[in-house]
Amino acid sequence: TRNGHYQFFPQRWKGISQAAKDLVAKCLTVSPIRRISSEGALAHEWMGEGLTLPKTLISAKSLASTYYETKKQRHEKYGQRSDEDQGNRLKELNDDFTVFLEERVCDSIVSAVTGAGRTVCGASVSSYQTKFKEDSPTGLPFAHFYAKEAQLGKGGFATVYRCRHKSSGMYYAVKEVDTTNCRPIEITTLREEVTALKYLRGAPNIIRLYDVFIEGNITYLVLEEMRGGTLMHRIIAKEVYTEREAREVCRTLFSAVNYCHKRNIAHRDIKLDNLLLHEENNDASIKLADFGFAKKVKRENSL
Ligand code: PIT
């Protein structure tokens, strides 16, 4: 990513609009100053209803296989990501990016052609209120209020379970983090994650943090339940999709990112696996999740 080396391979990009490629190139610009902003992306030509998009049917299978091939290759190259690698990734992320940028002469050939957009889009983000009352101030443990059910996911020091709030019968997801073997940098990161999630509460397309219980070495993050799996799963389940559908997803994604950036939060791990779906009345809403690498930045050009 940092080297900005990429190509639009014709076997994948044939039949895709020039506007789409232009936006992708602008997003892949290495220099954060010249890279398109989330507002710029929302105002980009590709986002406008005025543009007639090609009717090309994109094969979901081919996209999914590319995605997993890349992951597999990375896995083969670097092996199973250990806890130490996770720490190194954090260190790399937190390193001063400035030195690296100064050593770069220009962006990659493709992205050098296209400068970052500057247009400001007045996309409004409505917030909503919930009547949820936190249980953690009572000092009683998580298990007093919630019953843990099926495991939803696992990674690093954390496991995500479905859980039922005993008194209300409502369902949530709980991210359980065991900090026993965590190094100081990882504890800081967990704090940053909680800070970011609390700060972003009320955003329509960001997963909501309801409550936090800290019990010795175990931290429980009570999160909104998303029942539709990840966007990657959804794409795999589809035979074909179109630029039109992709545009809807991007609109949601860029407004979620814009909400974060307005509050100086950088997510730093945006990918299909971290976009969760919630299906209600045949209507799927998409929310940005996993703020495990998120950071509140001091300077805007760090975003
Ligand atoms: C769900 C269902 C699921 C995973 C999650 C939520 C996880 C969400 C999450 C994880 C994070 C974070 C914010 C949200 O910072 O399968 O409802 O690490």
Side-chain angles (χ1 to χ4, degrees):
T1 307
R2 281 188 171 194
N3 286 329
H5 291 161
Y6 63 88
Q7 283 174 54
F8 290 106
F9 290 113
Q11 64 266 42
R12 298 277 183 237
W13 289 85
K14 202 172 77 199
I16 307 297
S17 70
Q18 193 51 49
K21 287 192 255 188
D22 181 77
L23 178 55
V24 170
K26 284 173 176 165
C27 290
L28 292 176
T29 303
V30 178
S31 161
I33 296 151
R34 290 197 293 127
R35 191 185 312 143
I36 198 165
S37 65
S38 47
E39 285 185 349
L42 286 166
H44 188 272
E45 173 196 14
W46 186 67
M47 289 291 170
E49 294 292 342
L51 191 74
T52 319
L53 295 173
K55 300 258 187 312
T56 310
L57 298 176
I58 304 157
S59 155
K61 291 232 163 48
S62 111
L63 180 101
S65 67
T66 311
Y67 193 72
Y68 285 114
E69 264 312 303
T70 316
K71 276 203 156 181
K72 213 175 109 218
Q73 280 168 14
R74 210 183 303 139
H75 186 85
E76 277 160 11
K77 196 167 165 201
Y78 301 108
Q80 180 75 52
R81 185 183 275 185
S82 63
D83 295 345
E84 190 175 341
D85 292 333
Q86 184 94 357
N88 292 342
R89 162 118 205 259
L90 278 169
K91 191 183 165 301
E92 223 171 81
L93 273 170
N94 292 337
D95 270 351
D96 196 349
F97 194 42
T98 323
V99 180
F100 174 83
L101 284 172
E102 278 166 0
E103 284 167 0
R104 284 180 61 81
V105 180
C106 65
D107 265 289
S108 60
I109 297 150
V110 182
S111 47
V113 183
T114 55
R118 288 262 164 263
T119 337
V120 172
C121 175
S124 65
V125 200
S126 66
S127 61
Y128 60 90
Q129 299 294 316
T130 65
K131 293 187 188 73
F132 188 90
K133 197 172 156 291
E134 294 180 357
D135 296 310
S136 56
T138 61
L140 292 167
F142 167 80
H144 181 88
F145 303 101
Y146 294 88
K148 235 162 53 178
E149 293 190 5
Q151 184 179 312
L152 300 173
K154 193 168 164 52
F157 303 107
T159 314
V160 180
Y161 300 91
R162 188 178 190 218
C163 65
R164 184 172 50 83
H165 188 239
K166 293 176 190 171
S167 65
S168 68
M170 297 283 283
Y171 277 92
Y172 297 90
V174 62
K175 178 172 167 172
E176 194 181 297
V177 188
D178 186 348
T179 53
T180 315
N181 300 312
C182 279
R183 290 175 300 177
I185 188 178
E186 285 137 3
I187 308 271
T188 310
T189 307
L190 178 60
R191 280 207 206 102
E192 300 235 31
E193 178 175 0
V194 173
T195 307
L197 286 169
K198 282 188 173 172
Y199 208 54
L200 298 168
R201 275 175 181 170
N205 295 106
I206 294 170
I207 193 143
R208 190 182 177 97
L209 175 71
Y210 283 96
D211 209 347
V212 182
F213 294 84
I214 301 167
E215 300 168 21
N217 286 332
I218 313 280
T219 298
Y220 298 93
L221 308 188
V222 180
L223 300 150
E224 178 176 3
E225 190 197 23
M226 299 292 287
R227 306 180 70 168
T230 74
L231 183 56
M232 191 66 236
H233 294 135
R234 163 70 160 255
I235 290 173
I236 292 169
K238 283 174 79 78
E239 294 273 299
V240 287
Y241 71 105
T242 59
E243 270 191 60
R244 212 171 232 292
E245 291 170 277
R247 180 165 67 183
E248 281 318 300
V249 170
C250 288
R251 222 177 247 137
T252 306
L253 173 61
F254 285 125
S255 43
V257 172
N258 189 225
Y259 192 97
C260 296
H261 287 190
K262 273 187 185 155
R263 286 154 188 80
N264 278 1
I265 305 273
H267 183 281
R268 310 200 297 179
D269 199 20
I270 294 169
K271 53 183 178 185
L272 292 171
D273 311 80
N274 289 340
L275 289 165
L276 301 181
L277 294 145
H278 191 74
E279 266 150 279
E280 256 173 345
N281 328 313
N282 290 329
D283 186 34
S285 73
I286 297 180
K287 296 198 184 192
L288 184 55
D290 202 338
F291 284 72
F293 286 111
K295 192 175 178 66
K296 194 163 191 319
V297 301
K298 292 190 183 70
R299 287 170 309 164
E300 209 181 316
N301 67 5
S302 307
L303 290 166

